[in-house]
């Protein structure tokens, strides 16, 4: 299964850069390592996935997206190597 986040509203709930926390915006573009968000003030922010934990509303529920896991996704949801990694901010 794949997940297209274009048009989804994301909020940064944790980040290495404290200035990014509580930033909210609509996903304009997703690259391998970043999300490009349009904020309510019509500013474009580029956020590195490796440094942030995001939340999104999906079917009335808040879903937490761990940025480091999203930056290392393989195309079309292909399973990666059987190696477990601990992600820390």
């Amino acid at each position: 299964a794949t997940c297209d986040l274009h048009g989804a509203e994301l909020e940064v709930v944790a980040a290495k850069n404290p200035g990014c926390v509580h930033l909210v915006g609509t996903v304009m573009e997703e690259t391998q390592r970043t999300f490009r968000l349009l904020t309510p003030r019509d500013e474009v922010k580029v956020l590195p996935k490796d440094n942030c934990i995001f939340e999104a509303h999906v079917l009335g529920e808040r879903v937490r997206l761990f940025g480091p896991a999203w930056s290392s996704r393989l195309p079309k949801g292909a399973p990666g190597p059987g190696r477990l990694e601990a992600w820390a901010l």
Side-chain angles (χ1 to χ4, degrees):
T2 61
C3 183
D4 184 9
L5 294 171
H6 291 92
E9 188 166 297
L10 294 183
E11 177 182 356
V12 180
V13 294
K16 284 185 179 179
N17 178 354
C20 292
V21 177
H22 301 298
L23 183 68
V24 176
T26 304
V27 177
M28 295 174 47
E29 180 182 25
E30 179 184 5
T31 67
Q32 182 71 22
R33 304 235 179 253
T34 65
F35 282 120
R36 186 179 305 254
L37 303 181
L38 179 64
T39 69
R41 294 182 180 170
D42 292 328
E43 299 173 326
V44 176
K45 301 286 185 178
V46 179
L47 299 170
K49 292 177 184 177
D50 284 340
N51 298 337
C52 300
I53 296 175
F54 304 92
E55 275 191 1
H57 287 282
V58 178
L59 300 173
E61 306 240 352
R62 295 184 71 77
V63 177
R64 196 160 277 202
L65 308 172
F66 293 94
W70 283 78
S71 67
S72 60
R73 288 190 303 163
L74 296 174
K76 298 187 181 181
R83 185 173 62 138
L84 297 176
E85 294 182 29
W87 296 301
L89 292 181

Coordinates of all heavy atoms in Angstrom, one line a residue:
A1 N 0.8 -1.2 0.0 CA 0.0 0.0 0.0 C 0.9 1.2 0.0 O 2.0 1.2 0.5 CB -0.9 0.0 1.2
T2 N 0.4 2.3 -0.6 CA 1.1 3.5 -0.6 C 0.3 4.6 0.0 O -0.9 4.5 0.2 CB 1.4 4.0 -2.1 OG1 0.2 4.1 -2.8 CG2 2.3 2.9 -2.8
C3 N 0.9 5.7 0.3 CA 0.2 6.8 0.9 C 0.6 8.1 0.3 O 1.8 8.4 0.2 CB 0.6 6.9 2.4 SG -0.3 8.2 3.3
D4 N -0.3 8.8 -0.3 CA -0.1 10.1 -0.9 C -0.5 11.2 0.0 O -1.7 11.3 0.3 CB -0.8 10.2 -2.3 CG -0.5 11.5 -3.0 OD1 0.4 12.2 -2.6 OD2 -1.2 11.7 -4.0
L5 N 0.4 12.0 0.5 CA 0.1 13.0 1.5 C -0.1 14.4 0.8 O -0.3 15.4 1.6 CB 1.3 13.1 2.5 CG 1.4 11.9 3.4 CD1 2.7 12.0 4.2 CD2 0.2 11.7 4.3
H6 N -0.1 14.5 -0.5 CA -0.3 15.8 -1.1 C -1.7 16.4 -0.8 O -2.7 15.7 -0.9 CB -0.2 15.7 -2.6 CG 1.2 15.5 -3.1 ND1 1.7 14.2 -3.3 CD2 2.2 16.3 -3.4 CE1 3.0 14.3 -3.6 NE2 3.3 15.5 -3.7
G7 N -1.7 17.6 -0.3 CA -3.0 18.2 0.2 C -3.4 17.9 1.6 O -4.3 18.5 2.1
A8 N -2.6 17.0 2.3 CA -2.9 16.7 3.7 C -2.4 17.8 4.6 O -1.4 18.5 4.2 CB -2.3 15.4 4.1
E9 N -3.0 18.1 5.7 CA -2.5 19.1 6.6 C -1.7 18.4 7.7 O -2.2 17.4 8.3 CB -3.7 19.8 7.3 CG -3.2 21.0 8.1 CD -4.3 21.9 8.5 OE1 -4.9 22.5 7.7 OE2 -4.6 22.0 9.8
L10 N -0.4 18.8 7.8 CA 0.5 18.2 8.8 C 0.8 19.2 9.8 O 0.9 20.4 9.6 CB 1.8 17.8 8.1 CG 1.7 16.6 7.1 CD1 3.2 16.3 6.6 CD2 1.1 15.4 7.7
E11 N 1.1 18.7 11.0 CA 1.6 19.6 12.1 C 2.9 19.0 12.7 O 2.9 17.7 12.8 CB 0.6 19.7 13.3 CG 1.1 20.5 14.4 CD 0.1 20.5 15.6 OE1 -1.0 20.0 15.5 OE2 0.4 21.1 16.6
V12 N 3.9 19.8 12.9 CA 5.1 19.3 13.5 C 4.9 19.2 15.0 O 4.6 20.2 15.7 CB 6.3 20.2 13.2 CG1 7.6 19.7 13.8 CG2 6.5 20.3 11.7
V13 N 5.0 18.0 15.6 CA 4.8 17.8 17.0 C 6.1 17.7 17.8 O 6.1 17.9 19.0 CB 3.9 16.7 17.3 CG1 2.5 16.9 16.8 CG2 4.4 15.4 16.8
A14 N 7.2 17.4 17.1 CA 8.5 17.3 17.7 C 9.6 17.5 16.6 O 9.3 17.2 15.5 CB 8.8 16.0 18.4
A15 N 10.7 18.2 17.0 CA 11.7 18.5 16.0 C 13.0 18.8 16.7 O 13.0 19.3 17.9 CB 11.3 19.7 15.1
K16 N 14.1 18.6 16.0 CA 15.4 19.0 16.6 C 15.5 20.5 16.7 O 16.1 21.0 17.6 CB 16.5 18.4 15.7 CG 16.8 17.0 15.8 CD 18.0 16.5 15.0 CE 18.3 15.1 15.2 NZ 19.4 14.6 14.4
N17 N 14.9 21.2 15.7 CA 14.8 22.6 15.7 C 13.5 23.1 16.4 O 12.5 22.9 15.9 CB 14.8 23.2 14.3 CG 14.8 24.7 14.2 OD1 14.6 25.4 15.2 ND2 14.9 25.2 13.0
P18 N 13.6 23.6 17.6 CA 12.4 24.0 18.4 C 11.5 25.0 17.7 O 10.3 25.0 17.9 CB 12.9 24.5 19.7 CG 14.4 24.5 19.7 CD 14.8 23.9 18.4
G19 N 12.1 25.7 16.7 CA 11.3 26.7 16.0 C 10.3 26.1 15.0 O 9.4 26.7 14.5
C20 N 10.5 24.8 14.7 CA 9.6 24.1 13.8 C 8.4 23.5 14.5 O 7.4 23.1 13.9 CB 10.3 23.0 13.1 SG 11.6 23.6 11.9
V21 N 8.5 23.3 15.8 CA 7.4 22.6 16.6 C 6.1 23.5 16.5 O 6.2 24.7 16.6 CB 7.8 22.4 18.0 CG1 6.7 21.8 18.8 CG2 9.1 21.5 18.1
H22 N 5.0 22.9 16.3 CA 3.7 23.5 16.2 C 3.5 24.2 14.8 O 2.5 24.8 14.6 CB 3.4 24.4 17.3 CG 3.4 23.8 18.7 ND1 2.6 22.8 19.0 CD2 4.2 24.0 19.7 CE1 2.8 22.4 20.3 NE2 3.8 23.1 20.7
L23 N 4.4 24.0 13.9 CA 4.2 24.5 12.6 C 3.1 23.7 11.9 O 3.2 22.4 11.9 CB 5.5 24.5 11.8 CG 5.5 25.0 10.4 CD1 5.3 26.6 10.5 CD2 6.8 24.7 9.7
V24 N 2.2 24.3 11.3 CA 1.1 23.6 10.6 C 1.0 24.1 9.1 O 1.3 25.2 8.8 CB -0.3 23.9 11.3 CG1 -1.4 23.3 10.5 CG2 -0.3 23.5 12.7
G25 N 0.8 23.1 8.2 CA 0.7 23.5 6.8 C 0.1 22.4 6.0 O 0.0 21.2 6.4
T26 N -0.2 22.7 4.7 CA -0.7 21.8 3.8 C 0.5 21.3 2.9 O 1.2 22.1 2.4 CB -1.8 22.4 2.9 OG1 -2.8 23.0 3.7 CG2 -2.4 21.5 1.9
V27 N 0.5 20.0 2.7 CA 1.6 19.4 1.9 C 1.5 19.8 0.5 O 0.5 19.5 -0.2 CB 1.7 17.9 2.0 CG1 2.8 17.3 1.2 CG2 1.8 17.4 3.5
M28 N 2.5 20.5 -0.1 CA 2.5 20.9 -1.5 C 3.3 19.9 -2.3 O 3.0 19.6 -3.4 CB 3.2 22.3 -1.6 CG 2.4 23.4 -1.0 SD 3.3 25.0 -1.1 CE 3.8 25.1 -2.7
E29 N 4.4 19.4 -1.6 CA 5.4 18.6 -2.3 C 6.0 17.7 -1.3 O 6.3 18.1 -0.2 CB 6.4 19.4 -3.1 CG 7.4 18.6 -3.8 CD 8.5 19.5 -4.5 OE1 8.7 20.6 -4.1 OE2 9.0 19.0 -5.5
E30 N 6.3 16.4 -1.7 CA 7.0 15.5 -0.9 C 8.2 15.0 -1.7 O 8.0 14.5 -2.8 CB 6.1 14.3 -0.4 CG 6.9 13.4 0.4 CD 6.1 12.1 0.8 OE1 4.9 12.0 0.4 OE2 6.6 11.3 1.6
T31 N 9.4 15.1 -1.1 CA 10.6 14.5 -1.8 C 11.0 13.4 -0.9 O 10.4 13.1 0.2 CB 11.7 15.5 -2.0 OG1 12.2 15.9 -0.7 CG2 11.2 16.7 -2.8
Q32 N 12.1 12.7 -1.2 CA 12.6 11.6 -0.4 C 13.0 12.1 1.0 O 12.7 11.3 1.9 CB 13.9 11.0 -1.1 CG 14.5 9.9 -0.4 CD 13.7 8.6 -0.5 OE1 12.9 8.5 -1.4 NE2 13.8 7.7 0.4
R33 N 13.5 13.3 1.1 CA 13.9 13.7 2.5 C 13.2 14.9 3.0 O 13.5 15.3 4.2 CB 15.4 14.1 2.4 CG 16.2 12.9 1.9 CD 17.3 12.6 2.8 NE 18.1 11.5 2.3 CZ 18.1 10.2 2.8 NH1 17.3 10.0 3.8 NH2 18.8 9.3 2.3
T34 N 12.2 15.5 2.3 CA 11.6 16.7 2.8 C 10.1 16.7 2.5 O 9.6 16.0 1.6 CB 12.2 18.0 2.2 OG1 11.9 18.0 0.8 CG2 13.7 18.1 2.4
F35 N 9.4 17.5 3.3 CA 8.0 18.0 3.0 C 8.0 19.4 2.7 O 8.7 20.2 3.5 CB 7.1 17.7 4.2 CG 6.6 16.3 4.4 CD1 6.9 15.6 5.6 CD2 5.9 15.6 3.4 CE1 6.5 14.4 5.8 CE2 5.5 14.3 3.6 CZ 5.8 13.7 4.8
R36 N 7.4 19.9 1.7 CA 7.2 21.3 1.4 C 5.8 21.7 1.8 O 4.8 21.1 1.2 CB 7.5 21.6 0.0 CG 7.5 23.1 -0.3 CD 7.7 23.4 -1.8 NE 9.0 22.7 -2.2 CZ 10.1 23.4 -2.5 NH1 10.1 24.7 -2.4 NH2 11.2 22.7 -2.8
L37 N 5.6 22.5 2.8 CA 4.3 22.9 3.4 C 3.9 24.3 3.0 O 4.8 25.2 3.1 CB 4.2 22.7 4.9 CG 4.6 21.4 5.5 CD1 4.5 21.4 7.0 CD2 3.7 20.3 4.9
L38 N 2.6 24.6 2.8 CA 2.1 25.9 2.7 C 1.4 26.2 4.0 O 0.4 25.6 4.3 CB 1.1 26.0 1.5 CG 0.5 27.4 1.3 CD1 1.5 28.4 0.9 CD2 -0.6 27.3 0.2
T39 N 1.9 27.2 4.7 CA 1.3 27.6 6.0 C 0.0 28.4 5.8 O -0.2 29.0 4.7 CB 2.3 28.3 6.9 OG1 2.5 29.6 6.3 CG2 3.6 27.6 7.0
P40 N -0.8 28.6 6.9 CA -1.9 29.5 6.8 C -1.6 30.9 6.5 O -2.4 31.7 6.0 CB -2.6 29.4 8.2 CG -2.1 28.0 8.7 CD -0.7 27.9 8.1
R41 N -0.4 31.3 6.7 CA 0.1 32.7 6.4 C 0.7 32.8 4.9 O 1.3 33.8 4.6 CB 1.2 33.2 7.3 CG 0.7 33.3 8.7 CD 1.8 33.8 9.6 NE 1.3 34.0 11.0 CZ 2.1 34.2 12.0 NH1 3.4 34.3 11.8 NH2 1.6 34.3 13.2
D42 N 0.4 31.8 4.1 CA 0.9 31.7 2.7 C 2.4 31.7 2.6 O 2.9 32.3 1.7 CB 0.2 32.8 1.9 CG -1.3 32.6 1.7 OD1 -1.7 31.5 1.6 OD2 -2.0 33.6 1.6
E43 N 3.0 31.1 3.6 CA 4.5 31.0 3.5 C 4.8 29.5 3.1 O 4.1 28.6 3.5 CB 5.1 31.3 4.9 CG 4.9 32.7 5.4 CD 5.4 32.8 6.8 OE1 5.3 31.9 7.6 OE2 5.9 33.9 7.1
V44 N 5.8 29.3 2.4 CA 6.3 28.0 2.0 C 7.4 27.6 2.9 O 8.4 28.3 3.0 CB 6.7 27.9 0.5 CG1 7.2 26.5 0.2 CG2 5.5 28.3 -0.4
K45 N 7.3 26.5 3.6 CA 8.3 26.0 4.5 C 8.8 24.6 4.0 O 7.9 23.7 3.7 CB 7.8 25.8 5.9 CG 7.2 27.1 6.6 CD 8.3 28.0 6.9 CE 7.8 29.2 7.7 NZ 8.8 30.1 8.1
V46 N 10.1 24.4 4.0 CA 10.6 23.1 3.6 C 11.2 22.5 4.9 O 12.0 23.0 5.6 CB 11.8 23.2 2.6 CG1 12.3 21.9 2.3 CG2 11.2 23.9 1.3
L47 N 10.6 21.3 5.3 CA 11.0 20.6 6.5 C 11.6 19.3 6.2 O 11.1 18.5 5.5 CB 9.7 20.4 7.4 CG 9.0 21.6 7.8 CD1 7.6 21.3 8.4 CD2 9.8 22.5 8.7
P48 N 12.8 19.1 6.8 CA 13.5 17.8 6.6 C 12.8 16.7 7.4 O 12.4 16.9 8.6 CB 14.9 18.0 7.2 CG 14.7 19.2 8.1 CD 13.6 20.0 7.6
K49 N 12.5 15.6 6.8 CA 11.8 14.5 7.5 C 12.6 13.9 8.6 O 12.1 13.5 9.6 CB 11.5 13.4 6.5 CG 10.4 13.8 5.4 CD 10.2 12.6 4.4 CE 9.3 13.0 3.3 NZ 9.2 11.9 2.4
D50 N 13.9 13.8 8.4 CA 14.8 13.2 9.4 C 14.8 13.9 10.8 O 15.1 13.3 11.8 CB 16.3 13.2 8.9 CG 16.5 12.1 7.9 OD1 15.7 11.2 7.8 OD2 17.5 12.2 7.1
N51 N 14.4 15.2 10.8 CA 14.5 16.0 12.0 C 13.1 16.2 12.7 O 13.1 17.0 13.6 CB 15.2 17.3 11.7 CG 16.6 17.1 11.2 OD1 17.2 16.1 11.5 ND2 17.1 18.1 10.5
C52 N 12.1 15.7 12.1 CA 10.7 16.0 12.6 C 9.8 14.8 12.8 O 10.0 13.8 12.2 CB 10.0 17.0 11.7 SG 10.9 18.5 11.4
I53 N 8.9 15.0 13.7 CA 7.8 14.0 13.9 C 6.5 14.8 13.6 O 6.3 15.9 14.1 CB 7.7 13.4 15.3 CG1 9.0 12.6 15.5 CG2 6.5 12.6 15.4 CD1 9.1 12.1 16.9
F54 N 5.7 14.3 12.7 CA 4.5 15.0 12.2 C 3.2 14.3 12.7 O 3.2 13.1 13.0 CB 4.5 15.0 10.7 CG 5.7 15.6 10.0 CD1 6.8 14.8 9.7 CD2 5.8 16.9 9.8 CE1 7.9 15.3 9.1 CE2 7.0 17.5 9.2 CZ 8.0 16.6 8.9
E55 N 2.1 15.1 12.7 CA 0.8 14.5 12.9 C -0.1 14.9 11.8 O 0.0 16.1 11.3 CB 0.2 14.9 14.3 CG 0.7 14.1 15.4 CD -0.1 14.4 16.7 OE1 -1.0 15.2 16.7 OE2 0.2 13.7 17.7
A56 N -1.0 14.0 11.4 CA -2.0 14.3 10.4 C -3.4 13.8 10.8 O -3.4 12.9 11.7 CB -1.6 13.7 9.1
H57 N -4.4 14.4 10.3 CA -5.8 13.9 10.6 C -6.2 13.0 9.5 O -6.1 13.3 8.3 CB -6.8 15.1 10.6 CG -6.7 15.9 11.8 ND1 -7.2 15.5 13.0 CD2 -6.1 17.1 12.0 CE1 -6.9 16.5 13.9 NE2 -6.3 17.5 13.4
V58 N -6.5 11.8 9.8 CA -6.9 10.7 8.9 C -8.2 10.1 9.4 O -8.2 9.5 10.5 CB -5.8 9.7 8.7 CG1 -6.3 8.6 7.7 CG2 -4.5 10.3 8.2
L59 N -9.3 10.3 8.6 CA -10.6 9.7 9.0 C -11.0 10.0 10.4 O -11.4 9.2 11.2 CB -10.6 8.2 8.8 CG -10.3 7.7 7.4 CD1 -10.1 6.2 7.3 CD2 -11.4 8.2 6.4
G60 N -10.7 11.3 10.8 CA -11.1 11.8 12.1 C -10.2 11.4 13.3 O -10.4 11.7 14.4
E61 N -9.1 10.7 12.9 CA -8.1 10.3 13.9 C -6.8 11.1 13.7 O -6.4 11.4 12.5 CB -7.8 8.8 13.9 CG -9.1 8.0 14.0 CD -9.1 7.1 15.2 OE1 -8.0 7.0 15.8 OE2 -10.1 6.5 15.4
R62 N -6.0 11.3 14.8 CA -4.7 11.9 14.6 C -3.7 10.8 14.4 O -3.6 9.9 15.3 CB -4.4 12.8 15.8 CG -5.3 14.0 15.9 CD -4.9 14.9 17.0 NE -3.7 15.6 16.8 CZ -3.5 16.7 16.0 NH1 -4.5 17.1 15.4 NH2 -2.4 17.3 15.9
V63 N -2.9 10.8 13.4 CA -1.9 9.8 13.0 C -0.5 10.4 13.1 O -0.3 11.5 12.5 CB -2.2 9.2 11.6 CG1 -1.1 8.2 11.3 CG2 -3.5 8.6 11.5
R64 N 0.3 9.8 13.9 CA 1.7 10.3 14.0 C 2.6 9.7 13.0 O 2.6 8.5 12.8 CB 2.2 10.0 15.4 CG 3.4 10.8 15.8 CD 3.6 10.8 17.2 NE 2.8 11.9 17.8 CZ 3.0 12.5 19.0 NH1 4.0 12.1 19.7 NH2 2.2 13.4 19.4
L65 N 3.4 10.6 12.3 CA 4.3 10.1 11.2 C 5.7 10.4 11.7 O 6.1 11.6 11.9 CB 4.0 10.9 9.9 CG 2.6 10.9 9.4 CD1 2.4 11.8 8.2 CD2 2.2 9.5 9.0
F66 N 6.5 9.4 11.9 CA 7.9 9.6 12.3 C 8.7 9.9 11.1 O 8.9 9.0 10.3 CB 8.4 8.3 13.1 CG 7.7 8.1 14.4 CD1 6.5 7.3 14.5 CD2 8.1 8.8 15.5 CE1 5.9 7.1 15.7 CE2 7.4 8.6 16.7 CZ 6.3 7.8 16.8
G67 N 9.2 11.1 11.1 CA 9.9 11.6 9.9 C 11.1 10.7 9.4 O 11.2 10.4 8.2
P68 N 11.9 10.2 10.3 CA 13.0 9.3 9.9 C 12.5 8.1 9.2 O 13.1 7.6 8.2 CB 13.7 8.9 11.2 CG 13.4 10.1 12.1 CD 12.0 10.5 11.8
A69 N 11.4 7.5 9.5 CA 10.8 6.3 8.8 C 10.3 6.7 7.4 O 10.5 5.9 6.5 CB 9.7 5.7 9.7
W70 N 9.8 7.9 7.3 CA 9.3 8.4 6.0 C 10.4 8.7 5.0 O 10.2 8.7 3.8 CB 8.3 9.5 6.2 CG 7.0 9.0 6.7 CD1 6.7 8.7 8.0 CD2 5.8 8.8 5.9 NE1 5.4 8.2 8.0 CE2 4.9 8.3 6.8 CE3 5.5 8.9 4.6 CZ2 3.6 7.9 6.4 CZ3 4.2 8.6 4.2 CH2 3.3 8.1 5.0
S71 N 11.5 9.1 5.6 CA 12.6 9.5 4.7 C 13.4 8.3 4.1 O 14.0 8.4 3.1 CB 13.6 10.4 5.4 OG 14.3 9.7 6.4
S72 N 13.2 7.2 4.7 CA 13.9 6.0 4.2 C 12.9 5.0 3.5 O 13.3 3.9 3.4 CB 14.7 5.3 5.3 OG 13.8 4.9 6.3
R73 N 11.7 5.5 3.2 CA 10.8 4.6 2.5 C 11.3 4.2 1.2 O 12.0 5.0 0.5 CB 9.4 5.3 2.3 CG 8.6 5.5 3.5 CD 7.3 6.0 3.2 NE 7.3 7.2 2.4 CZ 6.3 7.7 1.7 NH1 5.1 7.0 1.7 NH2 6.3 8.8 1.0
L74 N 11.0 3.0 0.8 CA 11.4 2.5 -0.5 C 10.2 2.7 -1.5 O 9.0 2.8 -1.1 CB 11.8 1.0 -0.5 CG 13.0 0.8 0.3 CD1 13.2 -0.7 0.4 CD2 14.2 1.4 -0.2
P75 N 10.4 2.8 -2.8 CA 9.3 3.0 -3.7 C 8.3 1.9 -3.7 O 8.6 0.8 -3.5 CB 10.0 3.0 -5.1 CG 11.5 3.2 -4.8 CD 11.7 2.8 -3.4
K76 N 7.0 2.3 -3.8 CA 5.9 1.4 -3.8 C 5.8 0.5 -2.6 O 5.3 -0.6 -2.7 CB 5.9 0.6 -5.1 CG 5.8 1.4 -6.3 CD 5.6 0.6 -7.6 CE 5.5 1.5 -8.8 NZ 5.4 0.8 -10.0
G77 N 6.3 1.0 -1.4 CA 6.1 0.2 -0.2 C 6.9 -1.1 -0.1 O 6.6 -2.0 0.6
A78 N 7.9 -1.2 -1.0 CA 8.7 -2.4 -1.0 C 9.4 -2.6 0.4 O 9.8 -1.7 1.0 CB 9.8 -2.4 -2.1
P79 N 9.4 -3.9 0.9 CA 10.0 -4.1 2.2 C 11.5 -3.8 2.1 O 12.2 -4.1 1.1 CB 9.7 -5.6 2.5 CG 9.5 -6.2 1.1 CD 8.9 -5.1 0.3
G80 N 12.0 -3.2 3.2 CA 13.4 -2.9 3.2 C 14.2 -4.1 3.8 O 13.7 -5.1 4.1
P81 N 15.5 -3.9 4.1 CA 16.3 -4.9 4.7 C 15.7 -5.2 6.1 O 15.1 -4.4 6.7 CB 17.7 -4.3 4.8 CG 17.5 -2.9 4.6 CD 16.2 -2.7 3.8
G82 N 15.9 -6.4 6.6 CA 15.4 -6.9 7.9 C 16.1 -6.3 9.1 O 16.1 -6.9 10.1
R83 N 16.6 -5.1 8.9 CA 17.4 -4.5 10.0 C 16.5 -3.5 10.7 O 15.9 -2.6 10.1 CB 18.6 -3.8 9.4 CG 19.5 -3.2 10.3 CD 20.7 -2.7 9.6 NE 20.3 -1.6 8.6 CZ 21.0 -0.5 8.4 NH1 22.1 -0.3 9.1 NH2 20.6 0.4 7.6
L84 N 16.4 -3.6 12.1 CA 15.7 -2.6 12.8 C 16.6 -1.4 13.2 O 17.8 -1.6 13.6 CB 15.1 -3.3 14.1 CG 14.1 -4.4 13.9 CD1 13.8 -5.0 15.2 CD2 12.9 -3.9 13.2
E85 N 16.0 -0.2 13.2 CA 16.8 0.9 13.6 C 16.0 1.7 14.6 O 14.8 1.8 14.6 CB 17.0 1.8 12.4 CG 17.9 1.3 11.4 CD 18.2 2.2 10.2 OE1 18.1 3.4 10.4 OE2 18.4 1.7 9.1
A86 N 16.7 2.3 15.6 CA 16.0 3.2 16.5 C 16.2 4.6 16.1 O 17.3 5.1 15.7 CB 16.7 3.0 17.9
W87 N 15.0 5.4 16.0 CA 15.1 6.7 15.6 C 15.0 7.6 16.8 O 14.1 7.5 17.6 CB 13.9 7.0 14.6 CG 14.0 6.3 13.4 CD1 15.0 6.3 12.5 CD2 13.0 5.3 12.9 NE1 14.7 5.4 11.4 CE2 13.5 4.8 11.7 CE3 11.8 4.9 13.3 CZ2 12.8 3.9 10.9 CZ3 11.1 4.0 12.6 CH2 11.6 3.5 11.4
A88 N 15.8 8.6 16.8 CA 15.8 9.6 17.9 C 15.9 11.0 17.4 O 16.6 11.2 16.3 CB 16.9 9.3 18.9
L89 N 15.3 11.9 18.0 CA 15.4 13.3 17.6 C 16.3 14.0 18.5 O 16.6 13.7 19.6 CB 14.1 14.0 17.6 CG 13.1 13.5 16.5 CD1 11.8 14.3 16.6 CD2 13.7 13.7 15.1

